[in-house]
Amino acid sequence: MMATLSHTWTILTAVTVLTAHLCEVKKCCKLESSAGIDVLLGSSFRIYCTNLTVPCRKKFYGQNNAPLPPQLLNSTTIYYDVVNITEKKTYSCKCRSSGCDSCGQDFSTGYPPECPKNISCTYKVKNSDSGDVNCSWDRGRDTFLKNDLTLEMRILSKNHTHAPMLDSFSSKATDRSASVPVPGSVLMIAVWVQAKNALGFAASIHKNYTLSDIKMPSTPVLRQPDCTSQECIITVEQPVMTQHLEIQYRADTQTWTSSPDSGVQMRSVQVASLEPYTLYHFRVRSKFTTGLWSLWSASISNWTEEEAPAKELDVWYAEPASDFRSLTVYWKELSISAAKGKILSYRVRVYSPNSGQNITNVSAEARSYSVPFCAECEVSVWACNSKGSSPPAIITSEYTKVKLRHLDPLQDVHKVADNLSVTLSWRKPYAAVRRSVVEWFPKGHTMELRWVGLGPNENHVVITDVKPFECYEGAVYVFYNESSVRRTRFTGVTTLESAPAAVPSVQETVEGKQVRVTWAEIPRGQRGGCLTNYNIYLENQDNQEHRKHYSIQASQREHVIKDLSSGTYKLCMTASTANGEGPAGKPITFFMQQESQLSPLLVCAVAAPIVVVLVCLYHSSAVKQRFWVYFQCLMLDVVPDPANSKWAKECIQDKGKMNLQLQLSNSSGAEEEEEPILVDVEELPHPTSLSPETETVTVLYPRTTYIKSFSHDSDSSDLRQTSMDTNSTVDYISSHGVGIMDEEEEEEEEEEEEMLGFFPSHNIFIEPLEFGGKLTLNAVKIDCGDLFPNSAF
């Protein structure tokens, strides 16, 4: 086994030696410089290439193997002069003999070191026995070469005697600082810095320090603070007791503030007068009786606890809806310092003297809420966090009435706009002002309401919360007290402005000789500012020279163009701002028709035959008679029943003779009663004719039973009436005066007389009525059933 291993090692050794011999390249030359490999920047020098073995033909090469022209020095050496070298370069020399490697050298350029200056040292006390002296300096310009720096220190005796040198230290330094450990018994030191490189050497001046003047404690360490709503207690840890502490704190966006308790050495430091619910950062440093302050500790942070909000919300409201059913209340988010905690919700209460109160909780993200409109209501809004709620912000009924009643405007309200803001100012009222409110919002978008409150002596405001190319409107409210307010509206406020980028959406409606043009408002983002007017361009295609321009106010949405003649028209619209007119929309073509003359002729042609037919029917007696029959039958409900007459009932009791008692009365009182007048009633047979001259008339209609009552003067002769029906009885009642009947009976008589006078000349009853004196018909009943035996009424 051992023999096998020995044989293996022998083989490996032989292979290694053979490989090294085969890989060995014969070096044939050597390259040297007259200035060394580190040369002064901008200097000139000479480089040499010398044979090491047998002579060979050599050649110089520069950067990127660029060939250089050599100079022959002797049979074995060539040279090349490098002039004004400004950067690090590499030069090489190659021998043309086979089996020889080239030789070369890298040359670095730079400067010798300057003397270090501005040395500054501190003595950092680690414990009571020792510390470190830390020094820093300015090394001067960059040498572009490798530099060696050392901090040299000489330590003096405790009793300040300079003769005996107790000790000296040397510390390897970086380019700009170094640290040297020093015993605690040392009182004074002398320090300096040495620098050297390939081109030179330099040393700073010596600087002496008294360690008590540069003594510095180690950096303190802070523990996590323990905080309440308005104070925090911080624990400080230090390896060496110091005589002074300074603690500072700040919120995120604030500057550092020193605590009033700074300057007294304590292990625990209390920081008071803090704001609730605020993230504070703390840091601390320390100092001995003499010497320097330590470095600031790493900062630590913690939140103070919450408190109930102590400030009421800033609330305002928009004008009530057009139907006066709701009122939108707006409020601003409280600042962190005013909220004193994380707002979890808002509470809105509406109180009415009639219906009591209604309380609603609103989410923390909400900034407005719509409440039922009530002219006598009081609206209160609270902000709530985990510790409680803010004082109520109240909008009384007088507030809501401000926007409903007419108020005298302010005088001289001026608007000045620039690219970023708008300035509003107004003449200060003579009366004492309690406060003012300025509101503004994009035109037509009250949901984006903004407002700012002003003090009693302020009469101008700079509005910065506005967007460019947006038109704003608003109002200024000056409160003298809660029920006396003056309001002035303003509109047309914008910062940057341009011509509109879009066109109105137009629609036309032809109405006779006029056309009604309606359009939709340009989208909000394409108006370019405040629109001043709309433009309508109308052109008659049949008469292209006749082109009209109509300018309409920006608040209008329709326009009627009247008295247009027939023809084809082309219409287009644009919109304008103070900065110019926008592009024209796509033309709309419409046609105005000529009014047709055939319509009146068609009406006359249709109406003429109808009129002729009606005239012919009017001259037909049969048609008129039939019409009156139908007319009388339709009036059945308005004819009174004679059977219900008081006089008819008396006639039934004493047929043939009727006692008529006249009761004449006047305004003075009742008259004396007179004896009743007796009237004879005779029944006559049905005659065949009305008079000797009257021709025989055939009865065209069925006989009708009726009762007629007449009245006449007492001196008139008896009247006789022959009935068409022999079975009917006609009673004649004599009357000696009109005043014997009451007002209702007189009205009934007048109605009956009007009906009789309405009958046509060819009476359907055939027999004419003959009567004398004054007719006092109490009631008439006409039975039309016999006229239409086959009809049911």
Side-chain angles (χ1 to χ4, degrees):
M1 184 67 180
M2 294 297 295
T4 302
L5 289 176
S6 177
H7 181 70
T8 301
W9 279 111
T10 302
I11 295 175
L12 289 175
T13 303
V15 171
T16 301
V17 171
L18 180 62
T19 302
H21 178 73
L22 293 175
C23 293
E24 182 180 0
V25 179
K26 187 176 181 181
K27 196 169 184 179
C28 302
C29 63
K30 180 178 69 171
L31 192 146
E32 295 177 323
S33 167
S34 62
I37 61 174
D38 292 323
V39 297
L40 183 66
L41 186 67
S43 64
S44 299
F45 58 95
R46 177 174 293 182
I47 56 176
Y48 301 92
C49 181
T50 304
N51 292 339
L52 293 179
T53 57
V54 296
C56 65
R57 298 182 62 183
K58 301 177 288 296
K59 193 173 183 178
F60 281 111
Y61 293 89
Q63 292 291 109
N64 301 322
N65 290 325
L68 299 175
Q71 299 292 328
L72 182 63
L73 180 64
N74 53 41
S75 60
T76 61
T77 305
I78 60 174
Y79 67 92
Y80 175 77
D81 291 328
V82 179
V83 179
N84 191 23
I85 186 170
T86 58
E87 60 183 358
K88 183 178 181 180
K89 289 186 177 182
T90 301
Y91 294 96
S92 62
C93 179
K94 292 183 179 180
C95 187
R96 293 185 180 181
S97 300
S98 60
C100 293
D101 190 14
S102 62
C103 54
Q105 183 64 54
D106 294 330
F107 292 90
S108 299
T109 60
Y111 299 103
E114 292 182 339
C115 295
K117 53 187 176 181
N118 299 329
I119 299 176
S120 176
C121 298
T122 60
Y123 177 43
K124 189 173 183 178
V125 178
K126 298 167 58 177
N127 50 52
S128 57
D129 297 330
S130 65
D132 293 330
V133 173
N134 299 315
C135 296
S136 61
W137 55 87
D138 182 8
R139 71 173 185 177
R141 68 179 179 180
D142 192 359
T143 64
F144 303 106
L145 299 174
K146 182 181 178 181
N147 301 308
D148 295 328
L149 290 96
T150 58
L151 174 63
E152 302 293 335
M153 179 186 303
R154 179 178 299 169
I155 301 176
L156 305 178
S157 63
K158 296 180 181 180
N159 56 5
H160 298 271
T161 58
H162 298 337
M165 184 175 61
L166 299 178
D167 203 350
S168 62
F169 296 89
S170 178
S171 175
K172 190 78 174 175
T174 63
D175 283 347
R176 289 179 173 82
S177 64
S179 177
V180 178
V182 177
S185 59
V186 175
L187 297 179
M188 294 183 64
I189 59 174
V191 294
W192 65 96
V193 179
Q194 295 178 351
K196 66 178 180 178
N197 61 17
L199 299 180
F201 172 86
S204 68
I205 62 174
H206 290 211
K207 191 171 183 178
N208 298 334
Y209 285 101
T210 301
L211 293 186
S212 61
D213 295 336
I214 62 172
K215 186 166 56 173
M216 175 189 296
S218 299
T219 304
V221 177
L222 298 182
R223 298 301 179 189
Q224 188 67 21
D226 184 15
C227 298
T228 60
S229 61
Q230 295 187 13
E231 66 177 19
C232 290
I233 298 176
I234 304 172
T235 301
V236 182
E237 294 184 353
Q238 296 184 99
V240 179
M241 181 66 66
T242 60
Q243 286 71 42
H244 301 281
L245 278 177
E246 181 181 8
I247 188 166
Q248 291 185 340
Y249 63 91
R250 68 179 176 95
D252 285 335
T253 59
Q254 298 175 352
T255 58
W256 289 103
T257 302
S258 296
S259 174
D261 295 335
S262 295
V264 179
Q265 167 62 38
M266 292 181 293
R267 180 175 175 82
S268 296
V269 180
Q270 182 179 4
V271 181
S273 301
L274 304 179
E275 293 292 333
Y277 193 64
T278 303
L279 179 63
Y280 282 100
H281 306 274
F282 303 92
R283 68 179 183 179
V284 67
R285 65 178 181 175
S286 60
K287 178 185 173 183
F288 296 109
T289 304
T290 61
L292 305 175
W293 285 97
S294 69
L295 299 177
W296 287 104
S297 66
S299 62
I300 58 173
S301 306
N302 200 7
W303 286 85
T304 53
E305 294 182 354
E306 295 185 0
E307 287 184 356
K311 183 181 179 181
E312 65 183 35
L313 290 166
D314 184 2
V315 298
W316 194 236
Y317 59 99
E319 290 191 8
S322 58
D323 55 3
F324 292 100
R325 292 185 178 179
S326 63
L327 178 74
T328 303
V329 180
Y330 296 84
W331 58 85
K332 293 182 180 179
E333 182 181 6
L334 290 174
S335 63
I336 295 179
S337 60
K340 297 182 181 298
K342 183 179 180 180
I343 300 301
L344 303 177
S345 65
Y346 295 95
R347 188 165 68 248
V348 180
R349 184 191 70 174
V350 180
Y351 173 75
S352 172
N354 300 325
S355 59
Q357 66 178 6
N358 182 22
I359 299 177
T360 305
N361 289 323
V362 185
S363 68
E365 291 75 23
R367 295 297 176 266
S368 64
Y369 186 72
S370 294
V371 300
F373 177 76
C374 174
E376 302 299 330
C377 291
E378 179 183 271
V379 180
S380 303
V381 185
W382 292 266
C384 305
N385 62 15
S386 62
K387 299 295 184 179
S389 58
S390 66
I394 300 174
I395 297 178
T396 63
S397 59
E398 294 297 332
Y399 276 58
T400 59
K401 294 177 182 177
V402 168
K403 294 191 176 183
L404 300 179
R405 60 178 178 238
H406 175 74
L407 299 169
D408 295 333
L410 296 170
Q411 299 296 324
D412 300 332
V413 177
H414 299 286
K415 307 183 294 289
V416 179
D418 56 25
N419 294 340
L420 300 175
S421 62
V422 176
T423 302
L424 293 176
S425 61
W426 54 93
R427 183 189 299 175
K428 190 174 182 180
Y430 294 105
V433 175
R434 181 173 179 179
R435 65 189 183 97
S436 301
V437 174
V438 178
E439 68 176 15
W440 67 96
F441 50 87
K443 188 174 183 179
H445 297 271
T446 56
M447 292 301 294
E448 300 180 30
L449 179 69
R450 301 288 186 271
W451 72 96
V452 62
L454 303 175
N457 297 321
E458 297 178 279
N459 63 335
H460 77 281
V461 63
V462 178
I463 300 174
T464 57
D465 189 12
V466 290
K467 298 178 181 178
F469 307 105
E470 184 81 73
C471 187
Y472 287 86
E473 60 182 342
V476 179
Y477 296 83
V478 175
F479 289 78
Y480 300 97
N481 52 57
E482 295 306 320
S483 60
S484 178
V485 185
R486 299 177 70 183
R487 176 183 65 176
T488 300
R489 292 184 178 274
F490 60 85
T491 186
V493 175
T494 184
T495 53
L496 295 177
E497 195 169 28
S498 66
V503 297
S505 177
V506 188
Q507 184 176 4
E508 90 291 347
T509 304
V510 177
E511 302 173 350
K513 291 186 177 181
Q514 65 183 22
V515 61
R516 184 179 301 274
V517 183
T518 58
W519 60 90
E521 195 170 15
I522 294 177
R524 177 178 169 186
Q526 297 178 312
R527 298 174 194 169
C530 296
L531 297 180
T532 56
N533 62 283
Y534 290 100
N535 303 286
I536 297 179
Y537 297 95
L538 183 65
E539 181 179 351
N540 192 333
Q541 295 292 91
D542 301 333
N543 183 8
Q544 295 184 359
E545 296 181 357
H546 186 65
R547 184 179 183 183
K548 292 184 178 180
H549 169 241
Y550 303 90
S551 180
I552 301 98
Q553 294 181 357
S555 59
Q556 301 297 321
R557 292 295 173 270
E558 71 173 18
H559 182 71
V560 178
I561 304 175
K562 302 180 179 179
D563 301 328
L564 295 177
S565 60
S566 61
T568 302
Y569 288 86
K570 184 181 291 184
L571 181 147
C572 64
M573 281 195 68
T574 64
S576 300
T577 64
N579 203 44
E581 186 176 2
K586 184 178 180 181
I588 298 175
T589 303
F590 63 92
F591 180 73
M592 299 294 295
Q593 295 182 350
Q594 184 73 26
E595 289 189 356
S596 176
Q597 302 297 328
L598 297 178
S599 298
L601 296 178
L602 291 175
V603 173
C604 294
V606 174
I610 298 175
V611 173
V612 172
V613 172
L614 292 176
V615 171
C616 293
L617 292 176
Y618 176 77
H619 289 285
S620 174
S621 300
V623 173
K624 290 195 292 184
Q625 290 177 1
R626 181 68 63 178
F627 169 75
W628 289 117
V629 170
Y630 285 121
F631 177 77
Q632 291 293 339
C633 292
L634 293 175
M635 298 294 291
L636 291 176
D637 293 338
V638 300
V639 178
D641 188 356
N644 295 328
S645 173
K646 179 177 65 175
W647 288 355
K649 293 179 181 180
E650 293 178 356
C651 290
I652 295 174
Q653 295 176 358
D654 191 2
K655 184 178 183 182
K657 291 184 181 292
M658 178 179 290
N659 294 328
L660 180 61
Q661 185 176 359
L662 299 177
Q663 296 180 356
L664 301 176
S665 60
N666 51 30
S667 59
S668 61
E671 301 289 342
E672 295 180 359
E673 298 182 359
E674 297 181 359
E675 294 181 0
I677 301 174
L678 301 179
V679 179
D680 295 331
V681 178
E682 181 181 359
E683 296 182 5
L684 298 178
H686 176 67
T688 59
S689 63
L690 295 177
S691 64
E693 293 80 15
T694 307
E695 296 180 357
T696 303
V697 180
T698 304
V699 179
L700 301 175
Y701 301 98
R703 295 170 181 171
T704 303
T705 302
Y706 59 90
I707 298 175
K708 296 179 181 178
S709 299
F710 300 87
S711 65
H712 55 83
D713 297 337
S714 59
D715 295 338
S716 355
S717 59
D718 296 336
L719 298 177
R720 296 185 180 182
Q721 174 69 33
T722 303
S723 174
M724 295 173 58
D725 190 352
T726 57
N727 296 328
S728 63
T729 302
V730 180
D731 294 338
Y732 295 87
I733 303 173
S734 176
S735 174
H736 292 277
V738 181
I740 63 175
M741 294 182 295
D742 55 17
E743 295 179 357
E744 292 182 0
E745 294 170 343
E746 289 180 357
E747 294 175 359
E748 293 174 354
E749 284 181 359
E750 293 175 359
E751 294 174 359
E752 293 298 328
E753 289 175 357
E754 292 176 359
M755 292 175 60
L756 292 175
F758 192 73
F759 288 165
S761 59
H762 298 280
N763 199 299
I764 61 175
F765 296 103
I766 303 303
E767 299 176 2
L769 297 178
E770 297 179 2
F771 54 90
K774 185 176 182 181
L775 177 63
T776 57
L777 179 62
N778 180 266
V780 175
K781 179 178 181 183
I782 300 175
D783 186 2
C784 293
D786 296 335
L787 295 175
F788 306 97
N790 297 327
S791 301
F793 289 91

